[in-house]
Amino acid sequence: MSDFFEQVEMIASRSKVAERQALTEEATKTSVILPFLQTLGFDVFNLDEVVPEFVADVGTKKGEKVDFAVKIDGKIAMLLEAKPATTKLGDVQFNQLFRYFSVTEARLAILTNGLEAWFFSDTDEPNKMDKKPFFKFDFQSHDRAQVEELARFQKNSFAIDAIVEAASNLKYTRAAASYLKGQLEEPEDEFVRLVGKQIHDGSVTKNVLEQLRPAIQSALDEIIRDRIQDKLSITFNGDKRPSPEPREPSSKDEASSDDGIDTTEDEIAGHMIVRAIAAKHVPIERVTIRDAKSYCAILMDDNNRKPICRLYFNSQTTRHLGIFDSEKQETKHKIEGPADLYRFADDIEKAVLAYSS
């Protein structure tokens, strides 16, 4: 598996170059898509495995082509349609791929622009390609779990029944996650009523509904905080490295103690929370703290060129969290204390993933 991870990272590098330089579909195919198929274990120079410009008659349409048909043991296993890196997949009409899916034995279709790969199957209706992908892989931004999912499509381990079963599970899991995320942000009346029937004696009237809504929303927030805190406890309880031996303070230590920098308990708590959020993507040791007079920086690899966020906790009246985007531009958000960092978990994860390689 380690070799596969390394090969995927090479594709990630190619994708970044293609995003800047590949202006045509052919350039995208050559620079990213064919190497991607090779990474999955297919011989792109063998027509028994990869057939470019695959032609099949679809009803009254004659001579239509799909960019690649990928074969295993002489049977078409996957269809792949390529788009230039300059194209957003969300804007693409993939009718050709949809039509070909129904007239070939393939049960898997891939749409890619060299930046992302969208995977489709027939989980809704047999032999009819789903309208939505069951898996999206971002070549430039992915975690270990997503690479492990991608490994399912390697030639040497390709099992279509297992893939389709996983696709069905992924589809429902992600649909449920999307629904629950919506309820977390703004609970719908039906959701509040469903929960309300379990916790309220009597009819759930409109007035009761409005009274329960903020309580249910707070309860959902509390559940998420508790789960993250549990992961935090497990992470640090499992860190059994011995404490360093006590030593006499050096003159350098004495000088630094008078520089006006005092790392507070809240800043340390903020560091621990960021580590907990980052733990599912990177080893927690990579998330470090570096205090300064005006802010406390949370960095990746103790490198000030890899900022994750900044904690502005020195003021007695207001506190802020600084979040960095992909361009390392900082946006400040007013917060009450360390616990509010959980509200920005998605932004923190994005910053961590940018430096995860």
Side-chain angles (χ1 to χ4, degrees), residues 190-305:
E190 286 303 313
F191 183 81
V192 175
R193 186 172 284 107
L194 175 66
V195 178
K197 289 179 179 178
Q198 309 303 316
I199 62 175
H200 175 73
D201 293 330
S203 300
V204 181
T205 63
K206 187 174 182 179
N207 287 337
V208 171
L209 205 67
E210 294 310 314
Q211 290 176 357
L212 291 175
R213 193 186 309 278
I216 291 172
Q217 196 165 12
S218 296
L220 291 171
D221 288 338
E222 184 176 339
I223 289 169
I224 290 175
R225 283 197 298 271
D226 287 346
R227 286 184 67 85
I228 293 177
Q229 190 60 47
D230 287 344
K231 289 180 181 292
L232 179 64
S233 299
I234 292 169
T235 298
F236 285 98
N237 287 339
D239 188 0
K240 300 299 184 183
R241 290 173 298 168
S243 300
E245 292 293 324
R247 60 180 177 84
E248 293 297 320
S250 66
S251 57
K252 182 179 178 181
D253 293 332
E254 291 173 357
S256 64
S257 66
D258 294 328
D259 60 7
I261 298 173
D262 179 21
T263 304
T264 66
E265 290 185 5
D266 279 353
E267 288 170 335
I268 293 172
H271 176 219
M272 296 299 149
I273 290 170
V274 175
R275 275 190 161 190
I277 293 169
K280 66 180 180 179
H281 301 297
V282 297
I284 59 171
E285 293 82 5
R286 294 185 64 186
V287 180
T288 59
I289 184 171
R290 191 186 297 182
D291 207 354
K293 287 186 177 180
S294 57
Y295 60 81
C296 181
I298 309 298
L299 309 171
M300 181 73 84
D301 303 323
D302 200 23
N303 187 335
N304 59 16
R305 293 191 299 273

Side-chain angles (χ1 to χ4, degrees), residues 50-244:
V50 179
V51 184
E53 300 295 310
F54 180 73
V55 178
D57 293 335
V58 182
T60 58
K61 292 184 177 290
K62 307 294 182 182
E64 280 198 296
K65 300 176 182 179
V66 69
D67 290 301
F68 297 101
V70 180
K71 293 183 177 182
I72 296 177
D73 296 330
K75 297 181 179 180
I76 298 176
M78 296 186 286
L79 301 175
L80 186 149
E81 184 170 344
K83 298 297 177 185
T86 52
T87 301
K88 291 184 178 180
L89 294 189
D91 299 333
V92 170
Q93 298 294 320
F94 38 92
N95 297 334
Q96 215 168 318
L97 194 59
F98 185 89
R99 289 195 295 270
Y100 267 45
F101 193 92
S102 63
V103 297
T104 65
E105 55 198 334
R107 296 192 64 194
L108 189 68
I110 304 173
L111 178 68
T112 179
N113 60 357
L115 309 182
E116 293 180 274
W118 290 10
F119 292 77
F120 299 81
S121 189
D122 57 351
T123 59
D124 291 332
E125 293 183 48
N127 204 36
K128 184 177 181 181
M129 192 178 90
D130 299 334
K131 294 181 179 179
K132 294 182 179 180
F134 67 85
F135 176 52
K136 294 182 181 180
F137 186 79
D138 189 320
F139 288 114
Q140 299 179 23
S141 179
H142 47 260
D143 57 29
R144 186 177 184 87
Q146 290 166 329
V147 176
E148 289 174 351
E149 186 65 32
L150 183 67
R152 287 178 177 272
F153 306 103
Q154 293 180 95
K155 177 188 172 184
N156 61 6
S157 58
F158 192 90
I160 190 59
D161 290 338
I163 289 173
V164 173
E165 182 180 356
S168 182
N169 291 337
L170 277 172
K171 180 179 71 173
Y172 291 120
T173 298
R174 287 177 179 152
S178 177
Y179 171 75
L180 291 173
K181 184 178 180 180
Q183 303 314 308
L184 179 66
E185 294 172 353
E186 190 174 349
E188 297 174 354
D189 288 354
E190 286 303 313
F191 183 81
V192 175
R193 186 172 284 107
L194 175 66
V195 178
K197 289 179 179 178
Q198 309 303 316
I199 62 175
H200 175 73
D201 293 330
S203 300
V204 181
T205 63
K206 187 174 182 179
N207 287 337
V208 171
L209 205 67
E210 294 310 314
Q211 290 176 357
L212 291 175
R213 193 186 309 278
I216 291 172
Q217 196 165 12
S218 296
L220 291 171
D221 288 338
E222 184 176 339
I223 289 169
I224 290 175
R225 283 197 298 271
D226 287 346
R227 286 184 67 85
I228 293 177
Q229 190 60 47
D230 287 344
K231 289 180 181 292
L232 179 64
S233 299
I234 292 169
T235 298
F236 285 98
N237 287 339
D239 188 0
K240 300 299 184 183
R241 290 173 298 168
S243 300

